[in-house]
């Protein structure tokens, strides 16, 4: 499968506002969050992943093993607990986040030296592009 390991910097973000609204993120946080250029540091060892999303305002850390359901707290985001599971769909990493919000999850994939992240919540889709540092 693909190798996501490395440091990635945000270059483009489409409809992050819609995604945050669907999550119920408050106005003040949204105004700050949409100005951010987060950096992702991904460590991949076999089927084990850790993903650190860092910004000047707030950061988010998640760790998982492919196919193993885990409790996700979404601390610093919307704080809703989810039962999350990540699987491979060919070379894409697909996460389903089961909880109060319908259709919640994300997909990561790589094209060239760019990392793509599609964030989904209810009827909103945000697409972000990160470039290898
Ligand atoms: C920030 C800033 C504070 C407000 C929000 C944020 C969103 C973070 C997100 C992180 C997603 C991480 C994933 C990790 C696994 O690959 C930038 C922390 C809402 C949506 C999908």
């Amino acid at each position: 499968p693909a190798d996501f390991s490395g440091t990635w910097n945000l270059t483009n973000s489409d409809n992050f506002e819609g995604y945050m609204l669907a999550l119920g993120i408050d106005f003040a946080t949204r105004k700050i969050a949409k100005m951010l250029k987060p950096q992702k540091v991904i460590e991949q060892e076999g089927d084990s992943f850790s993903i650190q999303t860092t910004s000047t305002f707030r950061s988010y850390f998640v760790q998982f093993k492919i196919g193993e359901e885990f409790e996700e707290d979404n601390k610093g985001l919307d704080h809703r607990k989810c039962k999350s599971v990540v699987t491979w769909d060919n070379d894409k990493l697909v996460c389903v986040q089961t909880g109060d919000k319908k259709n919640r999850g994300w997909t990561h994939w790589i094209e060239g030296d760019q990392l793509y992240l599609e964030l989904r919540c209810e009827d909103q889709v945000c697409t972000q592009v990160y470039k290898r540092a």
Side-chain angles (χ1 to χ4, degrees):
D3 186 9
F4 289 80
S5 293
T7 302
W8 306 87
N9 294 320
L10 184 81
T11 56
N12 206 66
S13 185
D14 183 56
N15 196 37
F16 191 44
E17 175 74 6
Y19 174 77
M20 288 192 289
L21 268 171
L23 283 178
I25 307 280
D26 66 86
F27 178 84
T29 304
R30 291 202 315 275
K31 293 307 123 193
I32 298 166
K34 71 178 180 195
M35 303 300 290
L36 301 171
K37 296 271 182 251
Q39 181 176 74
K40 279 191 196 284
V41 176
I42 303 181
E43 288 179 18
Q44 176 178 355
E45 281 177 21
D47 271 354
S48 297
F49 286 79
S50 74
I51 302 183
Q52 174 79 58
T53 306
T54 307
S55 81
T56 50
F57 171 58
R58 228 176 258 169
S59 297
Y60 187 69
F61 181 71
V62 65
Q63 239 178 333
F64 55 86
K65 261 187 116 167
I66 298 295
E68 285 186 13
E69 190 178 79
F70 61 102
E71 298 265 353
E72 195 171 6
D73 58 12
N74 294 287
K75 201 166 166 254
L77 309 184
D78 65 321
H79 299 272
R80 282 190 195 84
K81 294 215 183 351
C82 296
K83 299 247 193 231
S84 302
V85 65
V86 183
T87 54
W88 287 110
D89 174 12
N90 295 306
D91 274 351
K92 294 187 175 186
L93 272 185
V94 180
C95 181
V96 175
Q97 297 170 307
T98 306
D100 296 338
K101 291 290 180 182
K102 297 253 182 301
N103 191 37
R104 182 168 181 175
W106 51 259
T107 301
H108 262 313
W109 71 97
I110 292 174
E111 285 177 26
D113 65 347
Q114 306 205 113
L115 172 75
Y116 286 78
L117 172 60
E118 182 183 278
L119 294 160
R120 298 177 293 274
C121 183
E122 301 191 317
D123 61 346
Q124 296 298 310
V125 180
C126 163
T127 306
Q128 296 187 334
V129 185
Y130 293 77
K131 201 172 174 2
R132 211 182 257 287

